């Protein structure tokens, strides 16, 4: 909760023996961690407002700065070369703060990859301009960045990732780390319809469905992949 990973006695007596015995030889020498977060260090203090989202409740909003993230990966995977993909995400009121921080860190760490957060109202030209300011490799749209007048339960993928931005991402060869909205996530019929439309209309687009379509239960995963049908199978073959 202070923006770092600390070593405890269990690290030496339990974690590392298990790692050496069961994990080290199964892992490749070079690893890409496709989904990490980092931000300028802000240590939570008693009396600070309680975070609203559950990930922030876990770490009290104290994300790791990039150097601390790299130190944590060295502790978790000793002897391996791990390159993290860091996803910028800020509040709708300040989308530039996290992106500016990450942009600066990317200049110092060439083996770190950055994904840019974006607002749906950005034009094609503005999106390209912002993307090219830093060494970004992809986009990180997020449901909370949809227009504020839309109730959170009603947000759709196209509310925060409109077709014109999908077209730009496909033309530019950018990767999209897509967190899908709505309570039923991958099992939601609106999400399924939009994912099928994206697959049909932007066949060259590289899309990662974060957290397996945010399918946090077997039911959601089973129903979602069954509903996606050939779209899911074609994506798996790619």
């Amino acid at each position: 909760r202070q923006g770092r990973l600390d070593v405890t006695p269990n690290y030496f007596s339990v974690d590392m023996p298990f790692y050496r015995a069961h994990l080290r030889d199964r892992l490749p020498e070079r690893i890409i961690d496709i989904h990490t977060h980092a931000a300028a260090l802000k240590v939570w203090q008693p009396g600070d407002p309680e975070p609203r989202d559950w990930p922030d409740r876990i770490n009290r909003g104290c994300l790791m700065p990039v150097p601390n993230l790299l130190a944590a990966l060295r502790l978790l995977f000793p002897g391996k070369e791990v390159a993290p993909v860091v996803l910028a995400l800020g509040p709708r009121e300040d989308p530039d703060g996290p992106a500016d921080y990450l942009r600066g860190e990317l200049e110092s760490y060439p083996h770190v990859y950055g994904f840019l957060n974006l607002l749906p109202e950005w034009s094609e030209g503005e999106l390209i301009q912002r993307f090219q300011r830093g060494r970004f490799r992809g986009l990180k749209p997020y449901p909370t960045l949809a227009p504020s007048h839309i109730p959170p339960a009603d947000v759709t993928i196209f509310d925060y990732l409109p077709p014109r931005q999908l077209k730009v991402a496909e033309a530019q060869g950018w990767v999209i780390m897509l967190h899908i909205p709505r309570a039923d996530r991958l099992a939601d019929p609106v999400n399924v319809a939009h994912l099928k439309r994206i697959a049909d209309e932007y066949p060259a687009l590289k899309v990662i469905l974060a957290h397996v379509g945010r399918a946090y239960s077997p039911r959601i995963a089973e129903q979602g992949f069954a509903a996606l049908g050939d779209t899911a199978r074609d994506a798996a073959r790619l």
Side-chain angles (χ1 to χ4, degrees):
R1 292 185 175 182
Q2 303 301 316
R4 66 180 185 270
L5 183 66
D6 290 327
V7 172
T8 70
N10 285 340
Y11 178 80
F12 298 102
S13 62
V14 178
D15 298 335
M16 280 302 98
F18 186 91
Y19 173 82
R20 289 192 291 267
H22 301 289
L23 298 177
R24 180 178 58 190
D25 295 338
R26 294 174 178 266
L27 296 172
E29 295 305 307
R30 302 179 65 189
I31 300 169
I32 294 179
D33 187 338
I34 195 65
H35 194 137
T36 72
H37 297 275
L41 183 61
K42 176 186 177 299
V43 178
W44 183 82
Q45 301 293 337
D48 285 351
E50 282 290 324
R52 291 176 296 177
D53 299 326
W54 69 264
D56 286 334
R57 289 181 179 272
I58 293 173
N59 62 18
R60 292 292 189 216
C62 301
L63 293 176
M64 292 182 175
V66 169
N68 290 16
L69 170 63
L70 296 175
L73 292 172
R74 287 193 296 271
L75 288 173
L76 292 170
F77 303 101
K80 304 295 183 179
E81 181 181 334
V82 184
V85 175
V86 182
L87 310 176
L89 177 64
R92 181 171 176 82
E93 299 77 21
D94 179 29
D96 292 326
D100 289 342
Y101 167 79
L102 182 55
R103 186 179 291 112
E105 294 286 34
L106 293 176
E107 295 178 2
S108 302
Y109 299 98
H111 67 301
V112 174
Y113 304 95
F115 277 32
L116 177 70
N117 55 326
L118 64 157
L119 296 183
E121 56 263 34
W122 290 351
S123 68
E124 296 94 318
E126 183 175 6
L127 178 56
I128 292 173
Q129 183 184 50
R130 287 172 175 270
F131 192 95
Q132 293 177 343
R133 290 178 191 167
R135 193 173 50 78
F136 293 108
R137 297 296 185 92
L139 301 176
K140 197 271 181 79
Y142 203 74
T144 57
L145 299 178
S148 56
H149 68 271
I150 303 175
D154 297 335
V155 168
T156 72
I157 293 172
F158 294 138
D159 288 328
Y160 59 96
L161 184 61
R164 68 177 184 282
Q165 293 180 343
L166 288 162
K167 185 177 180 179
V168 169
E170 181 184 40
Q172 298 291 326
W174 300 339
V175 181
I176 293 179
M177 179 69 71
L178 182 60
H179 290 69
I180 59 176
R182 308 173 72 83
D184 262 358
R185 307 299 199 225
L186 198 61
D188 185 279
V190 175
N191 283 335
V192 169
H194 286 187
L195 290 172
K196 286 184 173 182
R197 178 179 165 186
I198 290 171
D200 290 340
E201 297 185 9
Y202 311 97
L205 184 62
K206 305 179 183 74
V207 178
I208 300 170
L209 287 184
H211 312 296
V212 197
R214 307 178 89 187
Y216 300 137
S217 70
R219 176 189 68 81
I220 289 177
E222 291 166 2
Q223 293 181 8
F225 282 110
L228 283 171
D230 290 339
T231 299
R233 284 187 286 272
D234 290 343
R237 283 196 291 271
L238 294 176

